[in-house]
Amino acid sequence: SFTNGAATNSAPKEIETDVLIVGAGFGGVYLLHRLRDELGFNVKVLEAGKDLGGIWHWNCYPGARVDSPIPVYEYSFPEIWKTWTWSCKYPGWAELRKYFDHVNERLQIKKDVVFDAAVVSSDFDKQTQVWTVKTEDGKTAKCRYLILATGFAAKRHFPDWKGLDTFQGEMHHSSFWPEGGVDVSGKKVAVIGTGSTGIQIAQECAKNAKELTVFQRTPNLCLPMQQASLTSKEQQERKEDYAQFFRDRLTTFAGFPFDFIQRETKDDTPEEREKVFEQLWEEGGFKLWLATYKDMLFDKEANRHHYDFWAKKVRARINDPVKKDILAPLEPQHPFGTKRPSLEQDFYEMFNKPNINVVDIKKNPVVQVRPNGIVTADRKLHEVDVIALATGFDSVTGGMKNMGLRDVNGIPLSEKWKMGTWSHLGMACNGYPNMSTAFSNGPTCVEVQGNWIVDAIKKMGDEKVGSIEATKQAEENWHAKVQELSDKTLFPGTDSWYMGANIPGKPREQLNYAGGFPLYQKELTDSLDRFKGFLVD
Ligand code: N01
């Protein structure tokens, strides 16, 4: 066993453990603590990065900050929240890294984590019921239970533009940003992409860059963050309610401390509706998305009311009519909320500066990258010194398909998921006994999925079960259910990473469960009753 997990060199080449977790982000750390410290298992974690934190270890791009207000975005372990204080409502990456240091100090996480250990293969031996997992640097780990806590953003996506590799300036993908930062002062900067990441990078670079050009394919329907600093006194007072708060966050549709209004948009008069929208806007965060009328994500007309309100608010903040029409067109390019909105602070006002521009690359696509800049279809060369690729991820499935996982018959997971994603509960696969995945990296979801894994392993021990493996039928049923739930919403019509539609050639299907958190938890609880949907050995 390790004495110092952080020092990679001291980790043995051969590891034997009961439980092996891949990934030391929110999910991996949660499971390590619960399985090791509560259930007494021998647990090891393999982590490709150099420290704890998962997405917060990789993402140090300028402006990287969480979009869920604390205390939603933290562990419910009392020994952690009672001893930790945040500086603001939406903390940034550096503070989140300190949070993980604190978690480590309290729970001694690192002693069981091997860093710099990217998984390249895993195979299951039917006879011994043991997984053998190999890492890029030649380590071998054998375990009975294999847990993939790899998050939804483990594989970066790069545009396939001609000449991208010929660029002579500085170019970084958002999740490969240099630790020391990039000094953009006096430089011309291009930000490619306007997902949550692109919005945050652009907002920050606009403060110092000589020129900033945002290359936008689809407008992000951003909502006001309403950031606020927090004193330790006010957090201390709120902590009296934290235990209840963490229970409550499990009862809402999206795992936030708020939920949809139990009225339809048409139930209110236009004046009443306007008042509701105004209030949600003022409160900020995701309220206009996830605490609004319950039909917003289901009904086109209801959705349009939301879009029109959003466009009116945003257009009023942008002076230039051309920029206004690109950033917040009067006609929606997709229904409101069917792509993940970002939270912004002064994203729209910054375009009122003459040196901040936006290029609509849906109308005028990028045709080539040259050593000194980006060429668009209108033959214009946009000369730049720095390119920030905020082009997202092969989300949800990309990381897992990229790890050399093979099933009991040696068939790669990338093959199994070529035409679609087959899993039971989003957590277990036929052909992969005793392997579970924690798909989400949001702390609420991580705890719910993590609890299911802990309960399943505990139940296996209590009932002397050697292995559980999702049945093919359960996978079929789950896939159909996830798509059916999604088909009732407006999500399927929009090209988004939720639908796998951001990656050329990826099957178009809903990758997230659209039934809401309470229903998902019921599915999980039901499945533990006699391991419904699993082959038990
Ligand atoms: O990635 P994205 P992200 N040519 O896929 C564009 C979480 N997150 O890293 O929309 C031109 O959302 C693409 O255009 P389009 C959060 O859950 C959280 O920003 O596909 N453009 C899009 O604008 C989020 O949803 C925080 O038309 C191309 C952008 O690149 C998820 O991570 C912060 C292109 C990619 O946006 C992913 O966000 C950051 C191409 N070939 C992220 N390829 C928090 O605040 C892609 N694009 C917690």
Side-chain angles (χ1 to χ4, degrees):
S1 72
F2 314 131
T3 46
N4 176 8
T8 323
N9 304 342
S10 68
K13 283 269 179 206
E14 309 281 328
I15 298 162
E16 278 201 33
T17 182
D18 301 326
V19 183
L20 185 75
I21 299 170
V22 185
F26 265 105
V29 170
Y30 182 79
L31 278 156
L32 168 60
H33 174 52
R34 290 220 47 209
L35 290 166
R36 182 191 64 185
D37 303 332
E38 278 177 39
L39 265 61
F41 281 103
N42 190 349
V43 186
K44 296 286 176 254
V45 180
L46 298 180
E47 163 59 50
K50 294 190 184 308
D51 209 338
L52 304 179
I55 207 81
W56 301 107
H57 166 66
W58 294 107
N59 283 334
C60 59
Y61 62 79
R65 126 181 351 273
V66 66
D67 268 357
S68 309
I70 66 98
V72 185
Y73 202 80
E74 63 181 271
Y75 287 121
S76 67
F77 298 132
E79 62 268 52
I80 301 300
W81 59 256
K82 280 187 181 168
T83 52
W84 178 256
T85 307
W86 299 98
S87 69
C88 59
K89 207 166 144 190
Y90 297 97
W93 62 271
E95 193 167 353
L96 275 144
R97 287 186 181 183
K98 285 194 190 127
Y99 176 71
F100 274 94
D101 288 343
H102 172 70
V103 172
N104 180 52
E105 265 164 42
R106 291 275 147 181
L107 305 179
Q108 309 304 309
I109 297 297
K110 284 190 185 177
K111 68 178 182 185
D112 285 310
V113 182
V114 185
F115 294 100
D116 284 323
V119 170
V120 289
S121 76
S122 74
D123 296 273
F124 186 74
D125 184 324
K126 283 189 214 175
Q127 225 58 46
T128 54
Q129 296 191 320
V130 166
W131 281 100
T132 301
V133 176
K134 295 195 170 160
T135 65
E136 204 169 36
D137 64 345
K139 293 190 178 67
T140 301
K142 290 186 181 296
C143 64
R144 181 154 170 231
Y145 303 101
L146 174 61
I147 301 173
L148 306 180
T150 42
F152 77 99
K155 187 172 175 215
R156 299 160 184 96
H157 172 58
F158 296 86
D160 56 359
W161 294 333
K162 191 174 137 204
L164 191 65
D165 56 354
T166 66
F167 183 63
Q168 292 291 302
E170 226 180 310
M171 179 168 71
H172 306 286
H173 188 279
S174 58
S175 75
F176 264 146
W177 206 262
E179 281 291 319
V182 176
D183 182 8
V184 297
S185 48
K187 296 194 179 140
K188 295 181 182 177
V189 179
V191 174
I192 317 292
T194 49
S196 308
T197 305
I199 301 296
Q200 294 184 334
I201 297 182
Q203 231 171 211
E204 209 54 33
C205 287
K207 293 177 186 161
N208 300 316
K210 181 173 161 203
E211 267 177 37
L212 168 69
T213 308
V214 175
F215 289 77
Q216 172 196 286
R217 191 164 66 180
T218 311
N220 188 329
L221 314 185
C222 299
L223 297 169
M225 177 174 266
Q226 311 290 30
Q227 170 71 302
S229 52
L230 297 171
T231 65
S232 76
K233 185 166 170 278
E234 59 192 315
Q235 281 173 80
Q236 213 47 48
E237 282 163 12
R238 280 184 75 189
K239 281 183 183 178
E240 284 170 23
D241 302 325
Y242 270 24
Q244 185 60 39
F245 176 92
F246 289 122
R247 285 193 290 276
D248 288 349
R249 79 177 172 179
L250 304 179
T251 64
T252 65
F253 185 88
F256 282 92
F258 45 74
D259 216 339
F260 292 110
I261 303 168
Q262 284 314 302
R263 281 197 313 283
E264 297 196 347
T265 315
K266 63 178 177 316
D267 293 338
D268 282 0
T269 63
E271 294 73 29
E272 286 166 339
R273 211 157 45 219
E274 189 74 4
K275 246 174 110 178
V276 170
F277 288 162
E278 280 290 351
Q279 192 183 336
L280 296 172
W281 186 266
E282 277 315 306
E283 287 171 14
F286 289 139
K287 292 247 168 125
L288 191 68
W289 186 31
L290 299 169
T292 186
Y293 297 98
K294 64 176 182 178
D295 56 348
M296 188 276 284
L297 286 169
F298 297 85
D299 181 84
K300 277 190 182 149
E301 207 177 316
N303 191 283
R304 182 66 197 250
H305 286 304
H306 287 76
Y307 183 85
D308 289 345
F309 175 81
W310 174 85
K312 185 183 74 179
K313 294 298 272 189
V314 169
R315 288 175 69 85
R317 293 164 59 187
I318 308 164
N319 301 336
D320 181 291
V322 177
K323 292 179 185 175
K324 196 189 297 240
D325 282 345
I326 296 174
L327 292 160
L330 285 170
E331 276 306 308
Q333 292 189 10
H334 59 273
F336 184 79
T338 55
K339 277 168 96 83
R340 153 83 149 71
S342 185
L343 300 188
E344 56 80 34
Q345 301 188 65
D346 60 355
F347 181 70
Y348 296 108
E349 284 79 5
M350 78 187 195
F351 289 97
N352 295 333
K353 295 187 195 161
N355 60 334
I356 316 285
N357 286 304
V358 58
V359 176
D360 181 347
I361 53 170
K362 189 166 265 169
K363 277 200 185 133
N364 185 21
V366 172
V367 288
Q368 189 182 359
V369 176
R370 292 224 183 115
N372 59 341
I374 297 168
V375 184
T376 37
D378 59 1
R379 295 175 179 230
K380 183 171 175 189
L381 169 68
H382 303 263
E383 276 189 57
V384 289
D385 308 304
V386 178
I387 298 181
L389 292 171
T391 42
F393 303 88
D394 181 349
S395 300
V396 185
T397 54
M400 282 182 280
K401 284 198 281 192
N402 209 27
M403 285 168 47
L405 300 175
R406 280 185 293 261
D407 76 2
V408 287
N409 300 312
I411 297 169
L413 186 70
S414 52
E415 199 55 40
K416 177 182 170 79
W417 281 359
K418 207 168 183 175
M419 306 306 288
T421 309
W422 307 100
S423 84
H424 181 36
L425 305 165
M427 294 218 288
C429 285
N430 179 252
Y432 292 82
N434 295 354
M435 186 190 86
S436 329
T437 63
F439 265 140
S440 161
N441 78 341
T444 317
C445 198
V446 147
E447 293 199 0
V448 165
Q449 293 192 318
N451 292 346
W452 182 90
I453 293 171
V454 171
D455 291 346
I457 291 178
K458 192 161 174 292
K459 187 175 161 77
M460 287 175 71
D462 292 347
E463 298 177 8
K464 310 268 178 290
V465 166
S467 73
I468 59 165
E469 176 188 345
T471 64
K472 267 197 163 22
Q473 189 57 50
E475 284 186 335
E476 294 286 340
N477 296 348
W478 184 253
H479 191 268
K481 190 177 286 184
V482 169
Q483 305 314 313
E484 266 165 39
L485 284 166
S486 173
D487 286 346
K488 290 183 189 151
T489 70
L490 301 171
F491 283 101
T494 299
D495 288 345
S496 68
W497 65 258
Y498 293 145
M499 298 300 302
N502 62 327
I503 302 297
K506 191 169 174 172
R508 192 186 183 98
E509 60 180 345
Q510 177 58 261
L511 291 167
N512 292 273
Y513 182 84
F517 224 52
L519 207 57
Y520 180 60
Q521 288 172 88
K522 189 173 176 312
E523 300 273 9
L524 293 183
T525 313
D526 289 353
S527 75
L528 279 184
D529 179 27
R530 287 179 285 153
F531 289 118
K532 207 163 83 193
F534 289 88
L535 297 166
V536 178
D537 194 1

